[in-house]
Amino acid sequence: MKMLTGIIITAVVIIAIVAALTLSGLGAASPAPPATTPAPSPTATPTPTTPTQTPPPQEGGAIQYDPNLAQKGIQYFKEVGCTACHSIKSLGISGGAFGPDLSKALISPATNVQGLARFYKENGLDNPAADPQKAAQLLAQYLINPPSYSTTMVSQINTHKSLFGDQWEKDYVPALVEMLKMAATR
């Protein structure tokens, strides 16, 4: 019975990865065109380059995030295929319904984010909304080296590491964490 369950879980993970790669264009024969950023309008307020503080919707201190890095996180979230399973409604990002909406994953991971609430507790954080900075640090660790009980994440992170090498940890994870910090403020 355990072997059958393991085979089923493995098959589901492989299907999810293939779907994510296909939807993100990584499985396509030609590379996706580079993302372009529209030129700011003359009347637009420039985007600040320093971290912004926005009060979170729940208890705790203000969540600080770098809006430019958060925008890069949105780009990466879409490029690596996260939208095949997830949405981030607070940022207007639609996606699949296979995985949960990640709008509040940083500060309220109990909303079906596989193993993240348990990971926070195991690392001394019972209430992520009370300490969003520590939550962000732990989330980065989770995205780099998820615990074995988060089986889907382990498979996906290993795939991302094999595709992006050191860039996964150096570029992708910091940007994705900033994006989720921004999502938690809205």
Side-chain angles (χ1 to χ4, degrees):
M1 184 67 172
K2 286 183 181 182
M3 186 173 176
L4 179 61
T5 302
I7 291 170
I8 292 171
I9 289 172
T10 302
V12 169
V13 169
I14 290 170
I15 291 168
I17 290 170
V18 169
L21 291 174
T22 302
L23 290 172
S24 71
L26 292 174
S30 62
T36 57
T37 305
S41 68
T43 58
T45 306
T47 305
T49 57
T50 57
T52 304
Q53 284 196 347
T54 307
Q58 298 180 351
E59 68 209 58
I63 297 176
Q64 297 180 6
Y65 66 91
D66 178 330
N68 293 328
L69 190 54
Q71 287 301 317
K72 192 179 261 189
I74 291 171
Q75 176 187 343
Y76 289 157
F77 186 79
K78 293 174 181 178
E79 284 178 7
V80 301
C82 299
T83 55
C85 296
H86 298 284
S87 62
I88 305 177
K89 293 177 183 171
S90 66
L91 298 178
I93 300 172
S94 59
F98 184 71
D101 172 35
L102 299 178
S103 295
K104 303 298 178 201
L106 175 74
I107 57 174
S108 184
T111 55
N112 299 323
V113 178
Q114 186 195 35
L116 186 57
R118 178 177 169 186
F119 183 75
Y120 280 169
K121 285 184 182 187
E122 289 176 351
N123 287 280
L125 186 61
D126 290 328
N127 182 4
D131 192 348
Q133 287 307 107
K134 184 172 183 179
Q137 291 169 349
L138 291 174
L139 177 60
Q141 289 176 18
Y142 181 85
L143 291 173
I144 293 168
N145 190 25
S148 61
Y149 52 78
S150 294
T151 54
T152 302
M153 285 302 295
V154 168
S155 296
Q156 291 171 339
I157 297 305
N158 287 338
T159 299
H160 295 323
K161 286 179 178 179
S162 71
L163 289 171
F164 304 113
D166 290 346
Q167 297 309 109
W168 176 253
E169 186 173 338
K170 292 177 182 176
D171 294 332
Y172 286 81
V173 169
L176 292 169
V177 170
E178 289 301 300
M179 174 199 63
L180 291 172
K181 287 163 72 174
M182 181 171 68
T185 67
R186 298 183 177 181

